[in-house]
Amino acid sequence: MNKDITEYAKSRHTVKAYDPTKQVSEEDIAKIKELLRFSASSTNAQPWHFVIASSDEGKELIAQSTDRLYPFNRNSITNASHVIVFCSKLDIEEDYLLSVLEQEDADGRFGGNPEFKEQMHGGRSLFVNLHKQDYKDVQHWMDKQVYLNLGAFLLGVATLGIDATPMEGIEISALDKLLGLRERGYSSLAVVPIGYHDPENDYNAKLPKSRLPLSTILTEI
């Protein structure tokens, strides 16, 4: 029997200890890749890139970015089944916007209507240029799109019965260097170990869920 989606939201938690003997299946990894690909983003800009580590060597490389400032995060990375690095673009140039447009065209978004295609490019460019030229926060705007993806990802993997640990406790400059990200036009924002928790050592699984009441966070008008 399928659970209501709110049950997944209530039952998922940030895992503090993983069982290194349990691995996420290749079938579920394929689904996870689709979760990453099909996330929403403002104007469908998709200003992101992901690195997935499944090997011990790959996970160790990512874990090195915790050693100086966040050593308490190392074991979650090395013991997890896989680790996903969420990265943001460093620039959103015209060539990239045109590549997104052409992909939309190839996927049939415009129904062969060149006017609709031109309008889509104009609308997306409007928002990008507002953040570049007026608000001067285009990097922050792109980062926010990656976090939209991250939020959908956490709920999505929970529906697959997979545990996750969203983690900003990494040294970004170190990880970017270790993975050669900046020369490729990206920078890391967060890493998310995924796998299956160790019930004996994952203390967070034993704690009751705690959230502010609706009366505090919600206004109905």
Side-chain angles (χ1 to χ4, degrees):
M1 181 177 178
N2 291 332
K3 290 197 294 185
D4 184 284
I5 195 166
T6 60
E7 291 304 308
Y8 291 105
K10 292 174 183 177
S11 62
R12 67 150 302 278
H13 69 283
T14 296
V15 169
K16 299 301 183 181
Y18 284 91
D19 184 342
T21 68
K22 293 184 178 179
Q23 297 295 303
V24 177
S25 70
E26 287 302 313
E27 179 183 2
D28 279 343
I29 290 298
K31 293 176 182 177
I32 283 168
K33 290 176 181 178
E34 293 296 271
L35 278 175
L36 293 169
R37 184 174 174 230
F38 282 94
S39 171
S41 62
S42 177
T43 72
N44 199 33
Q46 307 165 68
W48 48 51
H49 187 78
F50 311 96
V51 178
I52 300 180
S54 57
S55 66
D56 290 342
E57 293 79 10
K59 288 182 284 186
E60 170 59 29
L61 198 64
I62 295 170
Q64 289 177 33
S65 69
T66 69
D67 286 344
R68 191 173 76 91
L69 298 175
Y70 312 99
F72 45 84
N73 280 333
R74 166 174 269 279
N75 286 346
S76 291
I77 292 172
T78 56
N79 288 336
S81 171
H82 293 65
V83 182
I84 295 87
V85 182
F86 284 71
C87 309
S88 178
K89 284 180 65 64
L90 292 173
D91 191 12
I92 189 160
E93 59 281 341
E94 178 71 5
D95 285 351
Y96 175 76
L97 296 178
L98 289 173
S99 73
V100 172
L101 188 72
E102 292 308 319
Q103 184 64 58
E104 290 171 329
D105 197 6
D107 290 335
R109 294 278 291 176
F110 310 124
N113 186 333
E115 184 178 353
F116 186 21
K117 180 178 179 180
E118 184 178 346
Q119 289 172 347
M120 184 67 229
H121 183 57
R124 185 157 42 229
S125 297
L126 170 67
F127 277 93
V128 169
N129 289 331
L130 275 173
H131 286 283
K132 277 187 174 182
Q133 299 164 8
D134 294 352
Y135 305 148
K136 302 187 187 304
D137 68 343
V138 70
Q139 185 65 63
H140 182 56
W141 180 77
M142 290 190 291
D143 292 350
K144 287 192 291 187
Q145 311 318 309
V146 180
Y147 277 97
L148 281 177
N149 193 307
L150 177 56
F153 178 83
L154 293 175
L155 185 57
V157 296
T159 69
L160 298 173
I162 297 168
D163 295 316
T165 307
M167 185 183 294
E168 290 182 316
I170 53 170
E171 195 168 355
I172 286 173
S173 59
L175 186 56
D176 288 356
K177 185 174 182 180
L178 288 162
L179 298 180
L181 291 173
R182 294 191 186 181
E183 50 265 46
R184 298 168 62 192
Y186 304 103
S187 181
S188 56
L189 291 178
V191 303
V192 183
I194 60 171
Y196 302 97
H197 79 129
D198 174 355
E200 290 189 9
N201 295 304
D202 181 18
Y203 65 86
N204 211 24
K206 303 171 185 178
L207 300 176
K209 202 83 166 181
S210 177
R211 294 293 188 271
L212 293 170
L214 282 176
S215 60
T216 299
I217 69 166
L218 179 66
T219 299
E220 296 188 59
I221 59 173

